[in-house]
Amino acid sequence: MTFSRAQFDRAFNPRVVAVVGDKLMNGFLWLHALKAFNGKLYSVQIDPNEIPAIEALGVTNVASLLDIPEPVDYVVLAVPRQVAPRVLDDCVTKAVGAVTLFTAGFSETGEAEGERLEQQIVTIAQRGRLLLVGPNCMGLANPRLGLCNFPNQPAGESAAGHVGFLGQSGTHTINFVMRAPGRGVGISKAASIGNASVVDACDYLEYLRDDPDTSAIAMYVEGVRNGRRFFEVLRATTRVKPVVIWKGGQSGAGQRAIFSHTAALATPTAVWTGMLRQAGAVSADGLDELIDIVAALQTGKTATGGRAGLIAMTGGPSVALTDAFTRTGLDVPLLSDASYARLREFFNVVGGSFRNPLDAGSTIAMGFRIDNLEKLLDILDAEAGIDVIAVDLGAGLAVDRWREISAGLTGMLELLAGFAARSSKPLAVIIEPAHREAEIAAVRSQFIVRGLLALPSAERAAVALRKLVEHHRFRAGTD
């Protein structure tokens, strides 16, 4: 069954939402999740013990979905599994736009009763052409509208952006939506799709591919129902926007876990990896890496070469930085004679060196000599043998001075932001928390709000830039 773009648009941009079956025992999870929703919100609840608390939240409660006196665009269903078919029948009668079935206990249980009930809800949805999200999922999110799928999610324009997310895990979907905006990655739309019994991952992917609000797509996938179709849709999507995928269940035990979670069937890791590569998608290993790669792609910088120019503050970290980049497959080459001639004009070799990496702490005074920092960046920018640039600021050692001399930190931030804006080369700034996690987190946010790609370790910066290069090589047809 296929669903129209208009049906997806209505689901992701509802004006009227109803929550069926929310309870105090669950902390009214859904009603609280939707408190920032900028449309109309109803509750459907018949338990007299629950209704006063619902009304105290300022939400209108009715006894039946059919009692709502206006069209309903989107319904969240949080009722016992045996009740779900009856309420879905009401959704069809009401001509609801889409339903998220939060309820679990279907085919993922492996029980005959769960499989029977899932087939029953699929039949109802197909008969009514009802866009059913799930079951066993957290449903849809559109932060711009305050359509959230968990309480206290970021909402409004500050959380909105141009990255779409699809997840076969409610928790991973929630965490992506919660964490990505703080990394400078705003969300266009997100969907936790669970068992995906009616609307498959391919359907959502096609929608986001053609969504003008979405410029990149991140996914957490446990399995796909139709491998051939998924490959074709994915390949068509990567031709117009980047897709980064974190695959769950990559070990034998993990494959058993994904069947229990979403009833997904295992795919051999080698087959999956080869399919992603042929389709032009970028793989990620974990949520942090997924966000890192998307953040790198969101900088808008292009690089098809893998030669890195590296700057560090001291000797040991410059070695570690180099090792981290070479381990990912990036190269750290020597620079040209012309670059070395320029470096000799000002570089302080006492306590430093300028081959590549540039051990430059004494030359740039840990970032406070922004005139020299600018010269280093300009040399790497002009160097034809360098494609990507990374700067490790030695944050753990520098944070006290940054705090004492805030103008120095501001000057460095503005310099780096200005360089990133004018250079065509991707720039990663490494701000390692070391032993000062809280202070560094506050400083890192100042880099992110200026649009800088700020990462907490050399290893994560190397992977993010390596994957950025991988994506652009595919797009250029050179990989």
Side-chain angles (χ1 to χ4, degrees):
M1 164 169 282
T2 58
F3 294 90
S4 69
R5 174 159 199 84
Q7 286 176 285
F8 277 102
D9 278 341
R10 186 183 177 195
F12 276 109
N13 300 280
R15 289 177 294 183
V16 178
V17 173
V19 176
V20 183
D22 212 1
K23 286 179 173 288
L24 178 61
M25 183 178 67
N26 293 328
F28 292 121
L29 182 153
W30 288 103
L31 295 176
H32 283 298
L34 289 160
K35 66 183 180 183
F37 176 54
N38 66 8
K40 252 178 144 175
L41 177 62
Y42 289 92
S43 164
V44 179
Q45 178 57 264
I46 59 173
D47 186 343
N49 296 316
E50 303 281 354
I51 293 171
I54 292 171
E55 292 176 340
L57 295 174
V59 178
T60 300
N61 187 76
V62 294
S64 166
L65 197 64
L66 303 178
D67 293 338
I68 296 176
E70 57 189 317
V72 177
D73 301 304
Y74 178 55
V75 169
V76 177
L77 210 53
V79 298
R81 64 178 183 174
Q82 294 85 355
V83 180
R86 180 169 58 77
V87 184
L88 275 181
D89 273 329
D90 284 351
C91 291
V92 172
T93 302
K94 183 71 178 170
V96 163
V99 174
T100 278
L101 188 47
F102 169 61
T103 308
F106 296 94
S107 62
E108 79 278 5
T109 64
E111 300 173 343
E113 177 64 3
E115 292 173 357
R116 184 190 70 78
L117 284 167
E118 182 159 322
Q119 186 52 53
Q120 189 177 357
I121 63 170
V122 167
T123 300
I124 293 169
Q126 290 179 337
R127 187 182 67 236
R129 295 200 58 75
L130 181 65
L131 198 158
L132 178 65
V133 184
N136 182 27
C137 72
M138 299 301 290
L140 307 181
N142 184 340
R144 183 172 280 108
L145 304 181
L147 181 73
C148 299
N149 55 11
F150 200 75
N152 300 316
Q153 266 179 352
E157 289 301 326
S158 62
H162 301 287
V163 175
F165 183 86
L166 302 176
Q168 279 182 290
S169 158
T171 300
H172 292 331
T173 304
I174 292 165
N175 283 335
F176 188 92
V177 174
M178 288 275 200
R179 291 166 58 177
R183 299 285 314 283
V185 176
I187 309 297
S188 59
K189 299 171 179 74
S192 156
I193 65 177
N195 296 8
S197 302
V198 175
V199 187
D200 193 11
C202 298
D203 302 310
Y204 297 98
L205 188 56
E206 282 186 320
Y207 173 74
L208 291 179
R209 179 191 66 200
D210 299 330
D211 178 28
D213 293 333
T214 300
S215 62
I217 301 167
M219 300 178 68
Y220 170 77
V221 175
E222 295 188 349
V224 294
R225 293 184 184 280
N226 184 336
R228 170 50 61 180
R229 184 181 172 220
F230 182 76
F231 172 74
E232 296 295 344
V233 172
L234 182 60
R235 184 167 62 174
T237 304
T238 61
R239 295 183 189 286
V240 294
K241 56 187 71 169
V243 181
V244 187
I245 302 180
W246 168 23
K247 173 70 171 68
Q250 298 188 51
S251 65
Q255 289 169 357
R256 290 196 302 275
I258 62 173
F259 182 81
S260 300
H261 181 213
T262 56
L265 297 177
T267 303
T269 299
V271 172
W272 178 263
T273 303
M275 184 276 294
L276 282 196
R277 187 175 179 83
Q278 287 185 46
V282 178
S283 64
D285 189 9
L287 183 62
D288 285 331
E289 189 172 304
L290 187 68
I291 298 174
D292 290 348
I293 297 168
V294 173
L297 292 168
Q298 286 286 285
T299 63
K301 303 298 182 183
T302 300
T304 56
R307 299 164 298 183
L310 305 178
I311 301 173
M313 296 301 115
T314 54
S318 71
V319 174
L321 181 61
T322 304
D323 285 344
F325 272 65
T326 54
R327 274 197 299 271
T328 67
L330 294 170
D331 190 17
V332 185
L334 294 175
L335 306 181
S336 66
D337 290 343
S339 292
Y340 286 130
R342 291 179 65 188
L343 286 164
R344 286 190 191 94
E345 293 173 359
F346 68 96
F347 201 100
N348 181 7
V349 294
V350 178
S353 65
F354 59 77
R355 292 174 67 79
N356 185 24
L358 308 179
D359 174 6
S362 59
T363 299
I364 61 176
M366 301 298 282
F368 284 88
R369 281 291 305 272
I370 60 173
D371 54 340
N372 282 348
L373 177 58
E374 185 171 25
K375 290 176 185 175
L376 295 182
L377 291 168
D378 285 344
I379 289 169
L380 294 178
D381 193 34
E383 171 64 58
I386 293 298
D387 306 296
V388 300
I389 300 169
V391 182
D392 183 345
L393 293 174
L397 302 180
V399 66
D400 284 332
R401 289 199 70 200
W402 290 346
R403 189 174 53 196
E404 293 164 6
I405 312 172
S406 60
L409 173 61
T410 302
M412 181 176 65
L413 285 163
E414 297 302 328
L415 170 72
L416 290 168
F419 174 79
R422 72 173 182 271
S423 173
S424 63
K425 297 179 181 179
L427 169 70
V429 181
I430 299 159
I431 308 171
E432 194 156 358
H435 58 297
R436 310 291 291 275
E437 178 65 53
E439 297 103 316
I440 298 297
V443 171
R444 190 182 298 119
S445 66
Q446 297 186 53
F447 288 77
I448 291 170
V449 299
R450 288 171 169 82
L452 289 160
L453 176 62
L455 295 158
S457 72
E459 289 77 11
R460 286 174 59 176
V463 170
L465 291 178
R466 176 69 184 86
K467 297 287 184 171
L468 178 148
V469 169
E470 183 181 309
H471 166 72
H472 287 292
R473 282 178 174 169
F474 175 81
R475 293 292 296 272
T478 58
D479 194 9

